[in-house]
Amino acid sequence: MHSRDELWSRLTEETFDLLIIGGGITGAGAFRDAAHRGLKVALVEMVDFASGTSSRSSKLVHGGLRYLEHYEFSLVFEAVSERRVLQNIAPHIVNPLAFLFPVYDTSRVSMNTLRAGMWVYDALALFRAPKTHTTLSKRSLRKKEPALGQDGLKGAPLYYDCATDDTRLTMETLLDGLQRGGVAANYTRVDGLVKNDDGRIIGASICDEIDGRRSEVRAKAVVNATGPWTDRTRAYATGAAPLLRPTKGVHVVVQSSRLPVSHAVVCTHPEDKRVLFAIPWGEQTYIGTTDTDHEGDPAAIRATGEDVDYLLGCANHYFPEVDLTRDDVIATWAGLRPLISQEGSTASVSREHEIVVDPAGLITIAGGKLTTYRKMGAEVVQSALNLMALFGQVPDGVGDAQTGREPLPGAVGWPENDDASTVAAEVVEAGLGKVSDASARYLTNRYGTRGLDIARLAASNQGLAQVLIDERPELMAEVDWAVGQELCLRLNDFMCRRTQLYFRDNDQGLGAAEAVAERMGELLGWDEQRTTEEVLAYQAEVARSRAWRSD
Ligand code: FAD
């Protein structure tokens, strides 16, 4: 990995074919596509990669069964096709997940309608879903999901989609683009666009959010992939009407012992009949999501007490014996869907994406889904090439991108039969007796075959083989890995995105914050004051995420 100074020098001294603003999944997908085509590409992200919506989704790679209700067949077809592609290029982090859709005698959608929908869903996947759907009787449902309420229960279709880790998917997509020669910098904010004498955009002014230095990046084409910030970024180039109608979605996390589900359970909220999920997540279960219009600063969103009560209310309705209370909530996350503006209810707003090129040449991509990011990336890079072609600026030797065939970094060397346990056994071996089975499984599921490198790091130094929190699998070696290989610059980055301690640990990782900050300080040359500031900033982030408790 290049040092930050080297990255910054490259960003500001070279001229790029393409500059991408925004390091969420949309920007990452375009970055990888451009790098695969042989374009000289740079990406800048104002906070950390995936710190926006792309770490706050429902973490599903799915067609979106419910979009069939709105007759969005082409969106569902594209998404189920991409589901298959992502299973192939990222099998370590895109895994089949079984969904149950319980039907009660009071349900809004009847069993027959659902069954018909399931056939359409499987047909749109050309019958290549992870498994074909089936229907469970009330009796077998009771065996499979004993906590589910039985009153008026008729049965449930069982179907398959995929679960992923949205942050890792973003990170691995970026890492692949970096390996192909792209330049990407986090904590680098665009605060203006640079135009030539003809008024055409030829770059952006940037500010280093770590040390305040300023400069410019030059590029033949500039892509705005700033998700919920899309209209703010467009305002640097154009006075056009806003494109977006952002809606907020909240999830809550509880221990799986408090809400034990072995399938993702699809629920329609008893009050407004919106579709929600209770999703098994290893030792935890998460429940989501809300869908409410949001205006104002995207960075300021958080779960409110009302959001949390709404989600717990739904879970308690479907799982009446469980009786979840606010005290059961370990963590929450709130994200903004960067949806294209439309009239109607929030749930009915289309998840399709749009690409808009404004007169000064800023190429904006907005809307869409995590699931379809690879195709969105390809489309927006093609738009950039079309624009370059108008000015005779397409570089020589630009080829096709094989992003649907080439594995992401953690999938290189992954077994054909998708057997994670064989990789985990190799990780144990690479750890030379210092990495437990639980940590090896965790490293495998998170980093794929790159878990082997982290185990080797742990084997090289007893301190790095330590777990960060007793009874948890995360290792100190991950700090070295994150700083050395994954552009981790702040304590928050490590706790919230390079690992999931913030979401999964009972105390949101606070118990490990100081030790991690000290190790990061050694690696990044922080003084004592900076190390303390990092810990305080993390504590403040945790406090902010718990503010709903006093609503
Ligand atoms: P973001 O991830 O927000 O990225 C934009 C980035 O731009 C941010 O990191 C931001 O910091 C950066 N930025 C902004 N301004 C600047 C600037 N001036 N300079 C530099 N950087 C800047 N999709 C699915 O397929 N499956 C799901 O299960 C799913 N569930 C969802 C659940 C919820 C609650 C939500 C909100 C969305 C869900 N989605 C899902 C949709 C999906 O998560 C989003 O479509 C996707 O993450 C958007 O990614 P993005 O890169 O466009 O935006």
Side-chain angles (χ1 to χ4, degrees):
M1 271 288 154
H2 298 286
S3 72
R4 184 150 177 92
D5 282 342
E6 282 166 342
L7 268 184
W8 189 264
S9 303
R10 284 198 64 191
L11 264 183
T12 55
E13 286 165 17
E14 298 178 14
T15 298
F16 293 89
D17 295 321
L18 191 60
L19 169 65
I20 296 163
I21 312 171
I25 193 72
T26 307
F31 180 69
R32 176 172 183 248
D33 188 276
H36 273 251
R37 290 189 204 225
L39 288 170
K40 197 166 166 186
V41 58
L43 178 147
V44 287
E45 160 56 50
M46 69 177 173
V47 189
D48 185 25
F49 305 117
S51 58
T53 308
S54 300
S55 54
R56 298 141 188 261
S57 78
S58 301
K59 309 187 191 302
L60 302 175
V61 167
H62 65 156
L65 184 65
R66 75 179 186 81
Y67 306 133
L68 291 180
E69 260 197 310
H70 304 292
Y71 306 107
E72 295 200 68
F73 297 114
S74 67
L75 174 67
V76 175
F77 175 70
E78 184 177 54
V80 288
S81 309
E82 281 300 298
R83 180 181 66 191
R84 190 168 170 78
V85 173
L86 295 185
Q87 274 189 276
N88 288 335
I89 66 168
H92 57 307
I93 45 172
V94 178
N95 297 304
L97 177 65
F99 283 68
L100 280 176
F101 201 144
V103 178
Y104 291 84
D105 47 19
T106 52
S107 289
R108 176 170 66 83
V109 185
S110 73
M111 185 71 96
N112 283 343
T113 310
L114 264 181
R115 278 207 201 104
M118 295 290 160
W119 280 114
V120 175
Y121 200 54
D122 279 346
L124 286 170
L126 308 177
F127 296 98
R128 292 193 300 189
K131 280 185 189 168
T132 311
H133 78 272
T134 164
T135 305
L136 297 188
S137 66
K138 180 174 177 174
R139 188 180 324 154
S140 60
L141 205 48
R142 192 171 12 224
K143 275 199 206 129
K144 288 193 185 283
E145 289 298 351
L148 201 59
Q150 300 294 313
D151 268 3
L153 183 61
K154 292 177 156 176
L158 168 67
Y159 69 99
Y160 293 83
D161 258 314
C162 287
T164 191
D165 176 339
D166 45 7
T167 310
R168 274 312 307 154
L169 191 61
T170 307
M171 214 47 231
E172 293 224 0
T173 301
L174 273 164
L175 290 171
D176 190 50
L178 287 172
Q179 285 176 359
R180 300 248 167 187
V183 179
N186 44 359
Y187 294 98
T188 303
R189 174 194 296 270
V190 165
D191 56 8
L193 293 168
V194 180
K195 294 183 182 169
N196 67 9
D197 293 342
D198 299 331
R200 202 174 134 236
I201 290 166
I202 52 159
S205 52
I206 53 170
C207 172
D208 187 332
E209 295 287 294
I210 302 277
D211 66 13
R213 66 188 141 173
R214 305 188 45 79
S215 194
E216 286 180 0
V217 193
R218 299 283 171 147
K220 292 173 189 163
V222 177
V223 166
N224 168 15
T226 53
W229 291 264
T230 293
D231 288 325
R232 290 181 183 214
T233 311
R234 283 181 84 222
Y236 294 132
T238 169
L243 265 184
L244 290 194
R245 175 180 175 182
T247 72
K248 183 176 89 164
V250 170
H251 292 79
V252 297
V253 185
V254 299
Q255 291 297 3
S256 58
S257 53
R258 289 294 295 120
L259 182 57
V261 286
S262 46
H263 305 74
V265 177
V266 188
C267 319
T268 46
H269 199 287
E271 283 161 23
D272 57 11
K273 308 294 176 206
R274 283 195 48 255
V275 173
L276 273 76
F277 300 105
I279 298 180
W281 203 35
E283 304 278 294
Q284 288 75 36
T285 301
Y286 60 88
I287 309 158
T289 170
T290 61
D291 196 355
T292 48
D293 278 312
H294 176 86
E295 284 171 16
D297 183 2
I301 63 159
R302 64 169 182 88
T304 62
E306 196 183 333
D307 295 326
V308 172
D309 293 341
Y310 171 89
L311 296 172
L312 295 180
C314 185
N316 286 334
H317 178 82
Y318 276 81
F319 302 92
E321 304 286 301
V322 163
D323 198 19
L324 291 175
T325 69
R326 285 181 165 208
D327 289 342
D328 290 307
V329 176
I330 310 170
T332 61
W333 69 84
L336 275 187
R337 300 175 186 84
L339 304 180
I340 304 292
S341 184
Q342 265 176 20
E343 295 295 318
S345 73
T346 48
S348 68
V349 177
S350 172
R351 269 57 178 166
E352 298 268 13
H353 65 275
E354 253 181 56
I355 296 174
V356 177
V357 185
D358 76 69
L362 181 67
I363 305 162
T364 292
I365 177 156
K369 287 160 56 92
L370 188 77
T371 307
T372 50
Y373 85 92
R374 197 190 61 87
K375 289 202 79 176
M376 290 166 62
E379 274 180 43
V380 78
V381 172
Q382 190 54 54
S383 299
L385 283 169
N386 296 345
L387 190 68
M388 286 180 217
L390 281 180
F391 298 95
Q393 286 185 318
V394 177
D396 290 338
V398 174
D400 287 339
Q402 301 297 328
T403 57
R405 290 203 206 121
E406 300 278 338
L408 292 184
V412 174
W414 190 258
E416 289 269 313
N417 64 0
D418 199 16
D419 182 3
S421 64
T422 58
V423 182
E426 288 170 34
V427 172
V428 170
E429 229 171 85
L432 301 179
K434 292 184 182 152
V435 174
S436 69
D437 288 351
S439 289
R441 277 196 305 277
Y442 155 78
L443 292 176
T444 304
N445 292 336
R446 188 154 186 78
Y447 302 92
T449 48
R450 285 157 68 100
L452 289 161
D453 296 317
I454 299 173
R456 286 185 198 111
L457 263 179
S460 71
N461 175 330
Q462 190 57 43
L464 298 186
Q466 300 299 318
V467 291
L468 294 175
I469 291 177
D470 286 348
E471 316 278 320
R472 293 205 51 86
E474 295 86 359
L475 301 180
M476 189 59 93
E478 289 178 80
V479 180
D480 287 47
W481 180 262
V483 170
Q485 304 296 322
E486 298 196 348
L487 297 162
C488 180
L489 291 180
R490 303 206 51 188
L491 179 59
N492 269 354
D493 306 344
F494 184 80
M495 306 300 281
C496 302
R497 288 171 293 279
R498 300 308 180 281
T499 65
Q500 293 175 328
L501 281 167
Y502 173 87
F503 300 104
R504 290 190 183 257
D505 175 49
N506 264 333
D507 198 23
Q508 296 193 261
L510 287 173
E514 281 178 24
V516 172
E518 263 164 40
R519 183 64 191 156
M520 286 188 75
E522 282 166 25
L523 297 167
L524 290 164
W526 295 346
D527 60 18
E528 214 179 302
Q529 186 191 342
R530 172 73 195 274
T531 308
T532 308
E533 281 168 9
E534 288 292 321
V535 174
L536 291 174
Y538 183 63
Q539 288 168 344
E541 180 67 34
V542 172
R544 200 174 84 83
S545 82
R546 294 176 179 174
W548 62 267
R549 290 181 188 275
S550 44
D551 287 345

